[in-house]
Amino acid sequence: MYYGTDQNNYEEMYREQMHQRENVLDLIKEAMKDERHDRIKYKNMMDMAKDEKVKKQIEFAYMDEGKHYKMFQQIYYMLTGKMIDIPAPKVEGYNKLIDAVETSINGELEAVELYRKIQSMLPNQKLRDMLFEIITDEQEHATRFVYVYSILTGK
Ligand SMILES: [Fe+2]
Ligand SMILES: [Fe+2]
C-alpha cells in the first residue's frame, strides 16, 4: 500500500537518524579521549626533549589538543545540551623520544581519518566548520612531527 510504504520509509529514516546521532556522539567522546591522551603524551615528550627547537614544535601540538578538547566538548553540548568531561586516559611510556615522535605521526593521521568521519555526520555548517579547523590543525601536527623526526635523526 502506498501510505504504508511511505510510513515505513519515514520510520526507517527516523531510526537511521537516531542511530547516526548516537553514533556521532560516541565518536565525539572517542575524539575527546584521544585529545586528552595526546595532550598528556605531548607534555611527556616536551619533558624528554633536550633541543629547544624540538620542544617548541611539540608545544604547538600540545596547545592545540587542549583547544580541540574544548571544541569537541562544545560540539557535544550543542548536539545534546549536556556538558561532559572525559577522564584522563592511561598514556603509554617511551624510553626514546624518537619512538614517541614516530607513533605521534601515525596518531595524527588517524585522528584526521576519524575527524573526517565525524565531520560528515554533523548536522550543520557551523559544526562542520569547527571540525574543518581541527582537521587542518591535526594535519599541521603531522607535518611538525615529521619535521621533528628529521631533526632527531639528523637527516
Ligand atoms: Fe587534536
Ligand atoms: Fe594533534
Side-chain angles (χ1 to χ4, degrees):
M1 235 193 302
Y2 185 63
Y3 174 78
T5 307
D6 245 15
Q7 186 67 21
N8 286 344
N9 280 347
Y10 176 76
E11 277 166 17
E12 205 171 292
M13 260 169 55
Y14 181 77
R15 264 200 303 276
E16 179 56 34
Q17 271 177 16
M18 285 301 114
H19 181 75
Q20 259 224 348
R21 210 173 87 98
E22 274 168 37
N23 205 257
V24 76
L25 295 178
D26 283 344
L27 294 181
I28 292 167
K29 282 190 207 162
E30 196 180 318
M32 286 174 75
K33 192 180 93 205
D34 290 350
E35 293 293 347
R36 284 208 78 171
H37 169 277
D38 288 357
R39 188 164 157 91
I40 297 164
K41 181 182 176 186
Y42 299 162
K43 182 83 186 94
N44 294 341
M45 287 164 67
M46 283 165 67
D47 293 340
M48 288 172 91
K50 291 177 189 78
D51 184 342
E52 211 38 57
K53 205 162 73 180
V54 165
K55 197 170 176 169
K56 199 81 213 143
Q57 290 299 322
I58 303 167
E59 193 181 9
F60 274 112
Y62 166 79
M63 297 298 288
D64 279 347
E65 311 312 10
K67 178 187 81 174
H68 296 164
Y69 180 84
K70 290 204 182 82
M71 286 173 80
F72 278 118
Q73 192 179 44
Q74 201 184 339
I75 292 166
Y76 192 95
Y77 179 78
M78 288 194 272
L79 291 171
T80 64
K82 287 188 201 120
M83 198 70 176
I84 59 160
D85 258 307
I86 302 292
K90 256 209 154 59
V91 175
E92 71 282 8
Y94 292 92
N95 293 322
K96 285 191 293 177
L97 180 60
I98 186 108
D99 294 334
V101 171
E102 202 171 353
T103 58
S104 298
I105 297 169
N106 290 319
E108 292 291 348
L109 296 176
E110 279 166 22
V112 168
E113 290 296 311
L114 173 65
Y115 297 172
R116 275 207 196 110
K117 189 173 172 191
I118 293 174
Q119 186 187 38
S120 74
M121 295 164 93
L122 289 172
N124 65 57
Q125 196 57 46
K126 181 181 157 63
L127 296 178
R128 287 191 293 271
D129 286 347
M130 287 171 80
L131 259 289
F132 182 77
E133 179 182 336
I134 298 172
I135 289 166
T136 48
D137 284 344
E138 308 301 11
Q139 284 167 335
E140 187 197 283
H141 299 167
T143 307
R144 288 184 188 280
F145 284 124
V146 171
Y147 175 49
V148 167
Y149 189 87
S150 76
I151 296 173
L152 292 175
T153 54
K155 280 174 207 157

